[in-house]
Amino acid sequence: MAELSVLSEIDRARFLVRSNNTLTDTLTEGGSRSIHEWFEEQVRQTPDRVAVVFDREQLTYQQLNRRANQLAHHLKTLGVEPETLVGICIERSVTMVVALLAVLKAGGAYVPFDPSYPIDRLTYMLADSRVRLLLTTASLRTKNSVLSQVWEGYPIVELDRLSESLESLSQHNPDSGIEFHHLAYVLYTSGSTGKPKGVMMEHGGLANLINWHLRCRITGAKTLQFAPLSFDISFHEIFSTWCSGGTLVLVSEEQRRNPDELFQVISKQGIEKLYLPFTALQQLARVATRMSLPTQIREVMTAGEQLKILPNIAQFFEQIGATLHNHYGATECQDVTAFTLPEAIEEWETLPPIGRAIDNIQIYLLDDRQQPVPQGNPGELYVGGAGIARGYLNRPDLTRERFIANPFGEGRLYKTGDLARTLLDGNLQHLGRADRQVKLRGFRIELGEIEGLLAQHPTVQESAVILREDVPDLKRLVAYIIPSSETKTTDLELTLSDYLRDRLPEYMVPTVFAFLDRMPLTPSGKLDRQNLPVPKRSLGLVNAKRVLPRTETERQIARVWQQVLRLDEIGVDLHFFEVGGTSLLLLHVYEQLTAIFGDRLNAIATLFQYPTIETLAQHFDGELPRSQIIPLGSFCGHRAFSAARHQRQLRQSHRDRQIDHSKI
């Protein structure tokens, strides 16, 4: 019975052929040019147009091309050729995008290394990728001495010390020898086995994406470069702009993470085009409701997580009059579907569909037997065609598992792990994950990677990690732990939190730890994740030896924190971002505290400088020593608005207070 098809031959043909009638000749319209050769053609057309802006520095297309060419010629002398992997670890700057372009021009494939990642993660990525060279700057190595330890033994090129020697090199376009089947980049994404995995993307798939973009989206626009290089959207932002004669506007890490400053940059720079994850779009919309700055935004694209049309987002688009596109994709396939929301905002659905396949992409919704499901029925989403990756670096087993032979035609299909269904109008509606991969704040997370690290800790007997949303729009990673010793849960929570923060990016560290005597099981003896208990509304760190509010100012701030973070109690010495706070929730806190304290809270940056109830209250009451103020420049690290060293100092301060209390 299970092998019987519920589809007639006519329906089967409609789902397999008509819905995937996306073949175009866009890939051949420009000949066999790769992305950087397409950019070089744009240089010939608009040599004096501004190509990139960062702060007070800018380069025209001709200047950018010459600088990238000189670096590319240098890289070729160092052995870079097609399929050579070149690491890039550079802070956001013009130098960063010059390096990226130069690697492609030399024929290599770039591998981004975020300097804010923990040592263990960077060490693993370097060892796994075995990059030929690592491009960085001497200033970054001086600023972050930890990186020098990670990079020891790897060939390093410090770009800020090469400027004079590069001036004598040729400014002409090098012959890269690149064809569509060669690698363009390797991006590391969360892995289910406890280790990140490198996704290998070829030039052909990226050329198909940019071709479609230039055909279906506005071109020649002033575009914000928001995503980090380690996020696949950054390639889309950069080259859809440069291949159409637009201007790419970079922002600093501090501006990127501060919604108020980001909105001001968008307004002052006259940004016309944005590509943002939903969370960032939501933050921007909230800022726009209280800042009457004019904008020139014409088009906004969003991807990375489910788009929700909340009242503030609808109001934002009524205010700016821009077009909103909902895209869907993954690191393994970039953007593969798109949906343009109607011009009339009142017609927008709360959860818009993800649309239809773009040019030369095939989408299949299949059941467990990899057979098509009827219209309206949920199925797992498989992607085929020109846009899928080559596979995973050094992971042939996982590549075979996730990139399967196409049972309906030529080529391969990528098994996304996402569920979707086809609506009556032919658009796709996203229904969530089929496996244990989740999305939080725009980041894709393999829960197994977190569990794999917890399993290695000697105090953990058993663990499970899930994403919970017990309160609407408040998603939290919760780690359930069965301890293997009699360690106090408060001490163990601090230990495990520190342990994970030293090994994972901030967005992958659980904000809640729940300690259990046993895990719930299904009748078959498997872990019953659906019945893991709702964690208590108070935090483990607060339950023991907590410092409760003592002054009226502290109590007023604490009430706001408790309401926003959905907590019954909160310690005045706890850091906002370490108890579940996010940049979006910080906006809620800012708005409520502004209504209470007025001019005493004159900017959202104040909350970054005083991230605990205790220090913020002392600031309001004029009692805080200047030595305890955290400089704004410290918030350019990878953890939400907070550099790693300040978080460690805060945790150590918390431990010291516990010791002091124990002596009393």
Side-chain angles (χ1 to χ4, degrees), residues 271 292 418 423 447 463 531:
I271 299 296
S292 57
D418 283 328
L423 302 175
L447 298 177
S463 68
N531 283 320

Side-chain angles (χ1 to χ4, degrees), residues 141-359:
R141 295 183 73 184
T142 302
K143 183 177 179 181
N144 192 336
S145 59
V146 173
L147 293 177
S148 297
Q149 303 173 27
V150 178
W151 297 339
E152 188 174 352
Y154 289 90
I156 294 176
V157 178
E158 295 180 337
L159 299 183
D160 48 354
R161 291 182 174 175
L162 273 181
S163 54
E164 292 185 8
S165 59
L166 291 179
E167 290 180 0
S168 61
L169 297 182
S170 172
Q171 297 180 354
H172 294 96
N173 299 326
D175 180 10
S176 65
I178 284 296
E179 297 181 8
F180 278 164
H181 67 273
H182 286 131
L183 283 182
Y185 62 63
V186 174
L187 300 186
Y188 277 83
T189 185
S190 182
S192 59
T193 61
K195 297 291 185 182
K197 54 185 183 288
V199 178
M200 301 183 288
M201 185 62 72
E202 298 175 345
H203 279 265
L206 297 171
N208 182 70
L209 172 69
I210 300 302
N211 264 298
W212 168 83
H213 185 103
L214 300 190
R215 188 175 69 83
C216 300
R217 298 290 179 262
I218 63 173
T219 58
K222 210 169 192 182
T223 306
L224 183 74
Q225 203 286 294
F226 178 84
L229 288 190
S230 53
F231 196 12
D232 58 301
I233 296 304
S234 61
F235 188 96
H236 195 157
E237 290 174 326
I238 294 169
F239 286 101
S240 67
T241 304
W242 285 349
C243 292
S244 68
T247 298
L248 190 71
V249 180
L250 279 69
V251 290
S252 67
E253 191 66 22
E254 184 177 354
Q255 291 169 328
R256 196 179 78 84
R257 293 176 177 271
N258 186 328
D260 279 28
E261 291 193 21
L262 183 64
F263 190 78
Q264 291 181 29
V265 170
I266 290 171
S267 178
K268 292 177 181 178
Q269 288 285 353
I271 299 296
E272 301 170 286
K273 192 172 181 178
L274 295 171
Y275 201 151
L276 300 172
F278 167 69
T279 302
L281 176 61
Q282 189 180 6
Q283 293 171 5
L284 206 63
R286 289 190 61 83
V287 170
T289 60
R290 54 182 172 76
M291 295 181 71
S292 57
L293 295 174
T295 70
Q296 298 180 30
I297 302 172
R298 298 163 54 196
E299 184 173 73
V300 178
M301 294 161 287
T302 185
E305 54 190 318
Q306 176 66 59
L307 171 62
K308 300 177 184 178
I309 303 302
L310 304 175
N312 62 334
I313 288 182
Q315 181 181 345
F316 177 55
F317 280 89
E318 286 179 351
Q319 173 186 336
I320 65 176
T323 302
L324 176 59
H325 306 284
N326 191 24
H327 289 194
Y328 166 82
T331 308
E332 291 86 347
C333 57
Q334 276 270 353
D335 285 359
V336 290
T337 72
F339 176 78
T340 301
L341 276 73
E343 188 172 330
I345 295 177
E346 61 270 15
E347 297 178 10
W348 289 7
E349 300 177 43
T350 304
L351 300 176
I354 57 175
R356 303 170 186 259
I358 69 169
D359 295 348

Side-chain angles (χ1 to χ4, degrees), residues 286 290 474 556-567 570 575-577 579-598 601 603-608 610-613 616 620:
R286 289 190 61 83
R290 54 182 172 76
L474 182 59
Q556 287 179 302
I557 300 171
R559 280 193 288 269
V560 173
W561 277 40
Q562 288 169 226
Q563 190 274 326
V564 172
L565 295 171
R566 307 301 201 273
L567 295 172
I570 187 73
H575 192 290
F576 182 78
F577 292 104
V579 294
T582 65
S583 52
L584 180 59
L585 294 178
L586 191 69
L587 286 172
H588 290 277
V589 170
Y590 174 74
E591 291 169 355
Q592 294 189 36
L593 291 181
T594 301
I596 298 171
F597 294 101
L601 183 60
I604 195 171
T606 303
L607 300 181
F608 306 158
Y610 310 102
T612 68
I613 293 173
L616 185 60
F620 285 155

Side-chain angles (χ1 to χ4, degrees), residues 72 150 170 330 334 414 488 516 520 664:
V150 178
S170 172
Q334 276 270 353
Y414 167 59
K488 293 182 180 179
L516 307 177
I664 297 175

